[in-house]
Amino acid sequence: MANVSTNSRYDYLFKVLLCGDSGVGKTSMLYRQVSDKMNDAYTATIGVDFKLTTLEMKGHKIKLQIWDTAGQERFKALTAQYYRRAQGILLVYDITNEQSFENTTNWLRMIQENSTSDLKLMLIGNKIDNEQKRKVTTHQGQQLAKDYGLNFIETSALSSENISEAFTTLTESILIHMQGKYKEMVRSQVSLNKLGLNDSSTKPKQTSLCAC
């Protein structure tokens, strides 16, 4: 398990959203990742809720602030404002509910309209424990992810299959992107120094590595 106990010291803070239609299992995925327990009592999320967990990755301690967003239509305007604040999104559909899969294109459009280009996005097909009721094939999920350039994985919050892998894969993508941006900033600063352009009036302020 990549999940470790949360404490006050960390190297990065990443904000991750769970998005998708109501009933696809977002809240159950959140509970499984944070406490390794199944949330048996289904209650539709009202607005947004969040929990914290910590991952160890590539020698860094990363705190995840995981936001569980409501899937009902009446909350979409409210949850859209959280997209710009996030570093990553897990877009979830239910493999036993074809409509939830078809609606992912609407979610993708809303995310693209309200997020930044730095956002890392992953497509999740949840409830693979209910294989006998499957309506969306693995190939369909893979093809949609390919069309939009997304990572893809199928999960089960009930059995915990691939839940940790989903959060770990998304977190690694965010970390690699953040480190790449920092290295590019350093290279640009070195280039300015070599050109003699980086005087006291143009020298960038010291930047934290934390994506707070």
Side-chain angles (χ1 to χ4, degrees):
M1 287 284 291
N3 193 24
V4 298
S5 60
T6 302
N7 60 43
S8 58
R9 185 194 173 279
Y10 54 89
D11 301 305
Y12 294 89
L13 171 63
F14 295 152
K15 297 175 184 177
V16 171
L17 301 186
L18 286 160
C19 294
D21 281 7
S22 181
V24 298
K26 302 186 298 295
T27 301
S28 295
M29 289 179 63
L30 173 61
Y31 273 82
R32 180 62 78 180
Q33 173 64 20
V34 172
S35 61
D36 198 23
K37 294 179 181 179
M38 181 64 183
N39 181 31
D40 295 322
Y42 172 72
T43 304
T45 301
I46 305 299
V48 293
D49 188 17
F50 80 93
K51 293 188 182 297
L52 297 170
T53 190
T54 307
L55 304 180
E56 293 278 2
M57 184 176 292
K58 298 182 181 297
H60 300 288
K61 183 170 287 187
I62 302 170
K63 182 176 286 188
L64 290 185
Q65 190 180 81
I66 307 172
W67 290 84
D68 177 18
T69 65
Q72 299 98 316
E73 183 70 31
R74 68 182 186 274
F75 291 117
K76 285 187 177 180
L78 172 64
T79 57
Q81 65 182 299
Y82 288 85
Y83 296 156
R84 286 190 178 277
R85 305 177 189 177
Q87 281 76 49
I89 290 180
L90 294 175
L91 177 56
V92 186
Y93 67 88
D94 175 356
I95 68 159
T96 72
N97 183 336
E98 192 170 11
Q99 188 62 54
S100 73
F101 176 72
E102 293 176 356
N103 287 344
T104 55
T105 54
N106 296 328
W107 284 101
L108 284 165
R109 182 171 61 253
M110 182 178 293
I111 291 168
Q112 290 171 345
E113 290 173 353
N114 293 278
S115 64
T116 69
S117 59
D118 289 332
L119 182 75
K120 295 301 174 183
L121 186 61
M122 186 172 184
L123 183 65
I124 307 292
N126 192 38
K127 302 190 181 182
I128 56 174
D129 53 275
N130 210 356
E131 184 66 30
Q132 69 276 15
K133 294 184 179 180
R134 179 189 281 272
K135 298 291 178 58
V136 182
T137 67
T138 301
H139 176 73
Q140 285 177 288
Q142 291 172 333
Q143 186 60 54
L144 180 64
K146 182 179 179 181
D147 291 343
Y148 284 88
L150 311 177
N151 285 323
F152 170 74
I153 195 170
E154 292 187 330
T155 63
S156 168
L158 181 64
S159 69
S160 80
E161 185 174 354
N162 289 339
I163 295 295
S164 178
E165 287 78 2
F167 282 95
T168 299
T169 299
L170 181 64
T171 302
E172 185 174 19
S173 296
I174 299 169
L175 178 63
I176 291 171
H177 179 70
M178 292 295 296
Q179 290 179 329
K181 284 184 64 177
Y182 178 74
K183 289 178 181 178
E184 181 62 33
M185 183 191 72
V186 171
R187 283 195 293 267
S188 297
Q189 184 171 328
V190 169
S191 297
L192 286 173
N193 287 338
K194 288 181 178 179
L195 291 171
L197 300 176
N198 195 16
D199 58 24
S200 57
S201 63
T202 61
K203 186 176 181 180
K205 295 181 180 179
Q206 184 175 358
T207 303
S208 170
L209 284 175
C210 177
C212 302

